[in-house]
Amino acid sequence: MSAGDGAYSYSRNSQLQREVLDGAKEMVREAIIEKLDIKSLLSASINTFRIIDLGCSIGPNTFSAMQHIIEAVKDKCHYQFSADSSNIIPEFQVFFNDHVTNDFNTLFRSLPVDRSYFAVGVPGSFHGRLFPSGSIHFAHSSSAIHWLSKLPEMLLDEKSPAWNKGLIHYVDAATIAVVNAYVAQFDKDMEIFLSARAEEIVPGGMMVLVSPFSGYRLLKFFGSSLMDLVNEGMIDESLVDAFNVPVYFPSAEDMTKVVERNGCFSIERIELTYPQSKLVDEADAKSLMSNLRAVLEGVFINHFGSKIADEAFSRTILKSEEISAWMKANYEKPCQLFVALKRK
């Protein structure tokens, strides 16, 4: 995510991700109230409840999500203990995780002063182990698991049926082989992800995953801006052919398959939901493009360099009228996938 708090930073352009969080809040609370056995967990953890946010970025959304989880756990304590629960409310420890390149300085500078938890930063990819065995009670991840650990190599191979020439994502791909390549990489990544979390989460602990499902369909406009630069001779077409955005938006079927194959978690709830999006409903193309820029800018810069990346994003913003018209005619209300898992 774009660092700092400047005009194109994630901290100022994460409204869409906030809408994803807000749309899932009640389901997160229901999962905790209905499925989490807080009495058993606390008896084995010396009155400390540990929460992780995987892919936390730099705020402010992660703080809202963590506080919401804590309030739900406190309410579950009141519900589950018949005696005076004021003496058994646990202390909370929250681990904020993201890649080592994440702007943890901005994250911790903006920590709420009135927070009711001890905060810890954990740098590293969630496609692997991050915590000691049996140390985590509740894991959370929103708008993060769709990021792949790497791009499928066959997308860049001219001899492969999955070569995605002229496009930067599987949306509108010419062959199903492109989609299948993304799916295969997601399956591998999620198996590693689940196996790592199975080691870290205590038996009876829970994990909630929230992910966009409809995907960033507007990536097509970023791709067209790059091809405009090719046609004007500013970059070589081979540079675009060598670039694909490493994200796959899983379906309920995708998640069910990989969770059942892993075998360490029970699926307590899995469904697609349709939260309202002010950005999409109003076809606010400029705001939505700024939001996507904050998310994707680092990937574009790593491949094309900052000058070309800035030019591509600037040109895409200039297409706001075209994008707004397309959104009104084609864009479904953004649907998102909600998954609640319990460690067996």
Side-chain angles (χ1 to χ4, degrees):
M1 306 301 118
S2 295
D5 60 356
Y8 298 120
S9 66
Y10 181 83
S11 62
R12 293 193 181 187
N13 297 279
S14 55
Q15 182 182 340
L16 198 59
Q17 289 80 0
R18 180 58 179 262
E19 290 175 346
V20 169
L21 276 175
D22 290 345
K25 275 187 173 181
E26 188 56 35
M27 290 184 290
V28 172
R29 176 179 173 80
E30 289 173 0
I32 292 171
I33 298 299
E34 297 175 6
K35 303 295 184 179
L36 192 67
D37 185 355
I38 193 70
K39 184 179 290 188
S40 298
L41 293 180
L42 291 182
S43 66
S45 62
I46 319 178
N47 210 41
T48 300
F49 194 90
R50 300 182 184 91
I51 306 167
I52 57 176
D53 192 24
L54 301 161
C56 65
S57 192
I58 59 176
N61 294 338
T62 185
F63 306 133
S64 174
M66 294 303 97
Q67 190 59 40
H68 178 72
I69 291 169
I70 288 172
E71 292 303 320
V73 172
K74 287 180 178 179
D75 287 344
K76 182 58 184 280
C77 288
H78 290 297
Y79 296 152
Q80 194 162 359
F81 290 90
S82 57
D84 181 11
S85 60
S86 61
N87 294 324
I88 54 84
I89 297 296
E91 292 186 304
F92 292 93
Q93 191 172 24
V94 173
F95 298 89
F96 295 96
N97 158 256
D98 215 314
H99 286 286
V100 295
T101 53
N102 186 58
D103 185 1
F104 284 98
N105 287 332
T106 295
L107 175 74
F108 285 107
R109 277 198 300 266
S110 55
L111 273 168
V113 295
D114 59 345
R115 65 188 181 276
S116 57
Y117 53 84
F118 298 97
V120 183
V122 182
S125 170
F126 56 50
H127 293 112
R129 285 288 301 275
L130 293 165
F131 302 94
S133 298
S135 60
I136 300 300
H137 302 100
F138 195 93
H140 173 271
S141 184
S142 180
S143 298
I145 63 166
H146 56 277
W147 284 96
L148 303 177
S149 65
K150 64 177 183 178
L151 193 68
E153 294 179 2
M154 61 188 68
L155 297 176
L156 312 178
D157 182 358
E158 294 184 30
K159 298 179 181 179
S160 168
W163 185 36
N164 202 21
K165 179 176 175 56
L167 297 175
I168 65 171
H169 197 229
Y170 63 82
V171 173
D172 296 332
T175 69
I176 191 64
V178 174
V179 179
N180 290 340
Y182 272 93
V183 172
Q185 186 61 51
F186 174 80
D187 283 349
K188 292 177 184 177
D189 288 347
M190 189 51 58
E191 174 59 35
I192 294 171
F193 176 92
L194 290 173
S195 295
R197 303 295 83 76
E199 291 289 333
E200 298 163 352
I201 297 174
V202 301
M206 293 192 68
M207 177 161 59
V208 166
L209 308 173
V210 187
S211 176
F213 171 65
S214 58
Y216 296 160
R217 296 180 184 272
L218 295 174
L219 281 171
K220 61 186 294 180
F221 291 99
F222 290 118
S224 68
S225 293
L226 288 170
M227 291 307 296
D228 290 343
L229 296 177
V230 170
N231 294 333
E232 295 172 20
M234 294 184 64
I235 57 174
D236 191 83
E237 187 173 2
S238 62
L239 194 61
V240 178
D241 292 340
F243 176 74
N244 279 258
V245 180
V247 295
Y248 175 74
F249 303 96
S251 66
E253 291 75 18
D254 291 328
M255 286 299 304
T256 298
K257 181 177 67 174
V258 71
V259 171
E260 290 180 346
R261 185 172 66 239
N262 175 266
C264 295
F265 295 89
S266 61
I267 298 176
E268 302 299 323
R269 184 172 182 176
I270 184 166
E271 65 180 275
L272 289 175
T273 60
Y274 298 82
Q276 291 292 111
S277 171
K278 182 178 179 181
L279 292 182
V280 174
D281 287 349
E282 296 180 357
D284 187 354
K286 289 185 177 180
S287 295
L288 191 54
M289 290 299 103
S290 294
N291 187 282
L292 292 180
R293 175 172 182 163
V295 172
L296 299 169
E297 187 171 47
V299 177
F300 275 70
I301 289 175
N302 285 341
H303 185 80
F304 295 102
S306 57
K307 182 178 179 180
I308 293 299
D310 182 67
E311 182 68 20
F313 285 118
S314 297
R315 288 184 177 225
T316 306
I317 291 292
L318 294 177
K319 299 179 180 182
S320 59
E321 290 187 7
E322 179 186 354
I323 295 170
S324 293
W326 184 87
M327 288 167 63
K328 290 176 181 177
N330 298 284
Y331 208 96
E332 301 171 349
K333 289 186 177 180
C335 50
Q336 64 190 40
L337 180 67
F338 179 87
V339 185
L341 307 176
K342 193 170 186 178
R343 181 67 170 94
K344 295 179 179 178

